[in-house]
Every structure is written in C-alpha cells, then in structure tokens.
Amino acid sequence: MSQVKILACGDVNGRFDLLLKRISNVNSANGPFEFVICVGEFFGPDAKENDKIISGEIQFPVPLYILGPCCPSTCRCYPDQPSEFTSNVTYLGKSGTLTTACGLSIAYLSGIPAKSANGSCNAFEFNSEAVDNLTGPASVSSSYVGVDILMTSVWPSHVARHSANQPVTPVPGNEEISRLATVLKPRYHFAGMGVHYEREPYRNHEVLQGAAQHVTRFVSLATVGNKQKQKWMYALSTQPLKGMTRDQLVAQPPLTSEFPYKDILLKAYERKQQDTAKKGGAQFFYDMDAPMTEEEEQERNRKRRYSGERGPVEKKTSSQPCWFCLSNVEAEKFLIVSVGTHCYLAMPKGPLAEDHLMVLPIGHIQSMVAASEEVREEVEKYRDALTLFYDARGKSLVMFERNFKTGHSQIQMIGVPKDSLRSLRSSFLNGAQAKGFELSILDKEQQVWDVVNEGCPYFSVDLPDGTRLFTRHMKNFPIHFGREVLTGPQLLDCEEKIDWRECEMPKEEQAALVKKLSKEFKKFDFSTDSDDDSD
C-alpha cells in the first residue's frame, strides 16, 4: 500500500475560521491530505459559530473526523448517534473503531473521565465500561496486532515515564486511557488537553521477553490559535498497518523507550482485585501482551480455554505466563520425549495414535510466523528426525499448525499409514470445502511466514508429498479441523478422537507411553549424543 497523508489538530474550541485557513494553506502547499482528525473539544462557547458547522455553512476542503463533547455546554451541538454534519465533517460518536477508505484503522474515545469510573456517566464523559467495550474484542483475539491511530481527548496516565523528553506543562492523565492504549497498541496516539507534547516512541513489548512488536508514538496537540503559539496541527504520512511487512512494522526507531504503563496497570489491577474480593465477584483487567502479572495471565488463560492438544492447568501457583513454556513450574514435563536447544518434543494429552507427537518452542512464541530462524531450523530438524522415525514404522509424517485460539505454537506431528497417502491431500481439500472455507496451495519454495504477517491467525498443513496447504480465513474456523480430517475412515479411522478431551489417557498410562516413545525415538534424536545409544 502507498503512503497516506493526514492531519491532526488539538482542541478547536469553536475557532473554525482559523482551522479552515490553516487546513486550506497546508493542503495547498503539502497536500492533498486524506482527512483531518480533531481531538479534544471541537465546538466552542459561541452558539452562532457552532451553528455554522451544524448548518453546513462552513465547508472544509478536507474531510474532518471529530470526537464528542468534553463539557456540558457543548453537548447540545452533538446528535445522539454518529453522523455527518456536512459531507466533510463527521462526528464519530462516543467510542468505536473504523477503517477509512485509504486503509487506516482508527479507534476513538470521546470525552473526559466520569467521577466514578464504574458508575453512570454524562454525555461528555466516559467510564471503564466504555473502555471495556473497546478493548474486549482485541483482548480475546489471538490475531489482533494493533490499530494505526487512537484518538482520545484525555492523556493517558504516566505517558512520559521512561521518556527523556518530558512535557513542559504537567498534564494529569487517566489510567483508563493508559489501559486503552496498552490493549489497542496504536501506532499513533493523538490527544488534546491544550498542551503540545511529542513523546519518543515506546515499545509495546519487553526486550528479550517475546516477539518484537511495533512502537507507539504519543502526540498531544495544543488548542487551536493558543496564545503561547504551541503546535496545534500535526502532519503525518504513513502506510496502513495492514499493508506493512513485519520488518517494517516492528522497526525500532532511535531513542525508542520502554513501555511506560506497566507500574500503574499493575497497581490498578491490584485495586480491582481488592474491590472484587470485597464484592465477592470476578473482574478481569485486560493487559494483552504488555508485561503481565502472574494472576493476569492465569485469568486470561482461563478465559480463553485453550483448545490445543493439552489444556491449561487450573492451579494458580505458576510463576510463568504460559502453560507450554518449559520454564513454567506447572508444565507437565512427564509428557516430554526430547528437548533440543530451542524446541522440545512432547506427546499430547489426547493423542490420535500412540506415536502422535508435537514440537513446541521452549520459549514463549505464539506461532512459526513469529518464531526466530533458530527455532524454525530446529523444528525442521525434528521434522527430519520424525520423518525417519515414522518411516521405520511404515508411516509418513503429516504436520500441521493452528495459530487460532492458542497462545503458544504447537506443531502437530502425526504418522499416517503409507497406503492412505493417495487420499490425504483430497481429504484436507474436501474437508475444508465442507466446512465453508478454502485451503490454498503454497508454492514449493514458500513458507507460511512468507505470506502471513505475525499476529494473523492461520492454519497450515504439510503433507508427505511436499504439498503445503494453508488458510488465513479463520472466521468460524473449526478448531479441531486438522484432527477431524486425520481421524477420517480413509486415514486413521478413529473419529471418536476428534476432540482430544474425549481420548485423554490416565496420567500413569501417559507416562508409560512417553517412556516407550522416548526409547524408540532415541536413535533418531539429534539432541542426544550418538555414542549414548546403548539401548
């Protein structure tokens, strides 16, 4: 996608003539611009000037997107629902998201904080429920990456933390806006409050603690026509997030700082937990992939109910955020068959056959698309070893990965009888068609990470003949699809095992089978010394 040029401005406060003049001049000199976003209070105290906008008397040369009121006196200027005042002035509403015609994704929240974060609020206020409505879908989606732009009238709390560039005028922020920015991960966050401040970019991930993510740039703009002559208009040229490569998206500019909201979010979470305990209820405080507390991650895991081959343990003593990371004290290590440098081989709790295995990264990596080259190379080593392992058993290797409703990559490795290979490819293609989606065939040299951006959900399967099938159309995707195909009568003929929970073995039987598999796999295992094959 090509670059998109937009403008952003601070609180207009009814200075429409000045705004019109500046937009016209900038658009003539440096345009054309796709649109202008206005944060903070748009209307002002002069009713006659406000009516010029409402009646369409003032026409802007570039479309304007405006937020809702920030004070009682301007509420009368706004309709109850999002609407167009004119063809070029659009009121977005109290909160929501939109994708513009040029491909930019925008999230927005109007107003100032209500006196009670959990209580009712006036038309010019927002509460925690409004933030929940915006963050909810992003918090539970494994495919969510971020938005291009977040518009708020209020600053987030502690936004200047870890920044060498501090605002000249201190501005009180709001914790709910910090939470909103944490979950939505905007590339640009624009706010008002009458003060100009451009913060250095901050990371949305912890270094060495997970896959790199894009940075966020926070920009606060002053009031239009302010006497201090602070900057109140900002020009931006950018490429929509959905059209960027992973390398472009996660590039870390010079002077990028650490994530600023960690401490206040932890404190806010603790307060919510205390309030919940007093009320005897349950409350979940979303914090997505930003640094999490142990309790947050466990609560999130329980909410998601991972649908993989091994389910999460409900015990609340883990000190690690993921049930498949080997550093987690609760990881069920008795299921492990082999441990390499970057990956390990384990038996799923509900195997399709006695030699059904899976390869998982040792560290917390969501998918092979997000994995490092070292991890991918070691997965390939396990693939080669398992190809020989299954060949010795009269089988051929099928491997698949479902990056959908999972938090940690799991590469399923299943041996299928060689006499069933002729129906293998058609079984997957016909199975997909029956479920209402299509599997695409990748070129011989293509890998799934060549065609899918990190964070996007997908399903891929590698067949013994070299065919690689995949789909990224995951709406209503059946989570047991790979198992359902392989359990069909022409392949493994064990349809009662489609759901892994229906064939989970007792722990003692699991341990015995793992011990047997470990012994049989040992001579193929690249992670062990070759002179240690006395068995």
Side-chain angles (χ1 to χ4, degrees):
M1 287 187 175
S2 59
Q3 294 284 308
V4 177
K5 298 173 70 173
I6 69 168
L7 294 171
C9 78
D11 299 68
V12 178
N13 285 340
R15 302 290 299 274
F16 306 125
D17 290 341
L18 187 55
L19 177 63
L20 174 59
K21 182 179 179 181
R22 176 67 66 86
I23 291 175
S24 299
N25 291 340
V26 174
N27 193 53
S28 297
N30 302 299
F33 291 89
E34 294 289 335
F35 55 83
V36 182
I37 57 173
C38 299
V39 293
E41 188 69 78
F42 184 72
F43 290 101
D46 191 327
K48 290 183 178 179
E49 288 297 312
N50 293 340
D51 288 340
K52 290 180 181 179
I53 293 292
I54 297 171
S55 65
E57 180 179 339
I58 296 179
Q59 293 290 325
F60 291 92
V62 180
L64 268 64
Y65 293 119
I66 69 172
L67 294 178
C70 294
C71 65
S73 62
T74 58
C75 288
R76 69 171 188 85
C77 300
Y78 294 89
D80 294 333
Q81 300 296 326
S83 63
E84 293 183 350
F85 289 110
T86 69
S87 59
N88 266 7
V89 179
T90 300
Y91 164 51
L92 294 173
K94 295 195 68 173
S95 64
T97 59
L98 79 151
T99 301
T100 65
C102 57
L104 289 175
S105 55
I106 300 176
Y108 54 92
L109 179 64
S110 299
I112 62 175
K115 292 182 179 180
S116 173
N118 298 314
S120 60
C121 57
N122 296 305
F124 59 92
E125 297 173 326
F126 67 84
N127 57 15
S128 59
E129 182 180 358
V131 176
D132 289 341
N133 291 337
L134 277 175
T135 60
S139 298
V140 298
S141 171
S142 62
S143 63
Y144 184 80
V145 176
V147 294
D148 289 301
I149 295 171
L150 172 61
M151 299 169 59
T152 62
S153 294
V154 178
W155 280 32
S157 181
H158 289 63
V159 68
R161 194 182 196 93
H162 303 309
S163 173
N165 174 31
Q166 294 292 310
V168 176
T169 303
V171 175
N174 178 260
E175 288 184 356
E176 290 296 308
I177 300 297
S178 300
R179 177 163 71 98
L180 182 65
T182 298
V183 178
L184 296 188
K185 297 182 176 67
R187 293 171 57 218
Y188 291 88
H189 181 178
F190 290 99
M193 301 294 289
V195 175
H196 172 233
Y197 173 56
E198 295 183 31
R199 189 199 191 281
E200 306 105 323
Y202 66 77
R203 298 183 182 91
N204 282 295
H205 67 280
E206 282 191 298
V207 178
L208 303 179
Q209 296 298 312
Q213 299 185 45
H214 59 272
V215 300
T216 294
R217 292 171 169 86
F218 175 77
V219 180
S220 174
L221 295 166
T223 303
V224 172
N226 65 90
K227 293 180 179 180
Q228 294 78 21
K229 295 185 178 180
Q230 292 189 35
K231 184 175 180 178
W232 55 266
M233 181 164 283
Y234 183 95
L236 169 65
S237 178
T238 188
Q239 186 177 0
L241 181 151
K242 66 179 182 180
M244 300 175 72
T245 65
R246 167 163 170 74
D247 288 342
Q248 290 174 324
L249 185 61
V250 302
Q252 306 288 297
L255 303 179
T256 297
S257 81
E258 296 304 312
F259 178 73
Y261 307 128
K262 179 178 179 180
D263 292 342
I264 61 164
L265 291 175
L266 293 180
K267 291 177 182 177
Y269 174 76
E270 290 170 359
R271 289 198 303 271
K272 283 179 176 283
Q273 289 293 89
Q274 292 171 0
D275 292 343
T276 299
K278 292 177 182 178
K279 297 176 182 177
Q283 179 75 27
F284 182 67
F285 183 73
Y286 295 110
D287 193 5
M288 283 295 284
D289 295 322
M292 291 187 176
T293 64
E294 168 191 341
E295 291 82 3
E296 284 178 293
E297 184 61 35
Q298 289 174 342
E299 187 66 40
R300 181 181 173 194
N301 284 340
R302 284 195 293 276
K303 186 177 180 68
R304 283 185 170 181
R305 297 289 183 185
Y306 288 149
S307 299
E309 307 301 325
R310 295 162 63 196
V313 181
E314 291 292 331
K315 202 172 180 180
K316 284 186 68 176
T317 58
S318 169
S319 60
Q320 296 295 329
C322 177
W323 302 101
F324 299 105
C325 293
L326 283 193
S327 54
N328 185 352
V329 296
E330 294 293 339
E332 296 177 297
K333 295 182 175 64
F334 72 90
L335 294 169
I336 295 175
V337 172
S338 165
V339 179
T341 305
H342 304 286
C343 302
Y344 67 97
L345 186 69
M347 186 190 78
K349 296 183 82 171
L352 295 177
E354 288 192 350
D355 53 10
H356 177 181
L357 295 164
M358 58 183 181
V359 177
L360 306 95
I362 292 174
H364 187 67
I365 298 173
Q366 183 173 356
S367 68
M368 284 299 97
V369 171
S372 65
E373 196 60 36
E374 292 83 2
V375 170
R376 293 171 182 169
E377 288 176 357
E378 191 155 284
V379 170
E380 194 65 23
K381 288 183 180 180
Y382 271 117
R383 174 180 182 162
D384 292 342
L386 288 167
T387 297
L388 297 174
F389 172 72
Y390 287 123
D391 183 71
R393 303 164 80 90
K395 298 180 179 182
S396 293
L397 171 64
V398 175
M399 57 184 285
F400 70 82
E401 180 189 20
R402 169 175 53 82
N403 181 34
F404 179 64
K405 296 187 177 181
T406 59
H408 191 119
S409 178
Q410 304 163 49
I411 316 296
Q412 304 296 325
M413 303 288 194
I414 303 102
V416 297
K418 291 188 175 182
D419 58 8
S420 64
L421 295 184
R422 286 186 301 174
S423 59
L424 192 55
R425 178 169 162 174
S426 61
S427 294
F428 274 98
L429 294 173
N430 294 337
Q433 186 177 26
K435 296 294 183 180
F437 67 93
E438 182 179 351
L439 285 172
S440 301
I441 301 176
L442 292 177
D443 294 339
K444 187 176 181 180
E445 301 302 322
Q446 276 186 317
Q447 299 287 348
V448 67
W449 49 84
D450 296 324
V451 294
V452 178
N453 290 326
E454 181 182 343
C456 293
Y458 64 86
F459 173 86
S460 68
V461 55
D462 286 30
L463 305 180
D465 64 359
T467 299
R468 183 173 291 116
L469 307 172
F470 97 107
T471 183
R472 52 188 165 198
H473 302 292
M474 305 300 286
K475 184 178 181 180
N476 300 322
F477 184 83
I479 59 174
H480 296 305
F481 175 71
R483 294 178 65 103
E484 187 171 351
V485 171
L486 292 174
T487 57
Q490 293 182 309
L491 298 175
L492 298 180
D493 193 20
C494 55
E495 292 180 321
E496 70 280 2
K497 296 183 178 181
I498 291 176
D499 188 334
W500 69 271
R501 289 163 293 196
E502 298 299 322
C503 56
E504 182 177 358
M505 297 182 293
K507 186 173 180 178
E508 295 76 14
E509 293 183 23
Q510 292 175 358
L513 182 54
V514 169
K515 185 176 181 180
K516 177 174 178 286
L517 284 170
S518 298
K519 183 176 181 180
E520 293 173 351
F521 180 69
K522 190 172 184 180
K523 65 180 179 180
F524 305 100
D525 192 354
F526 63 88
S527 68
T528 60
D529 294 331
S530 58
D531 59 358
D532 191 33
D533 286 339
S534 57
D535 290 337

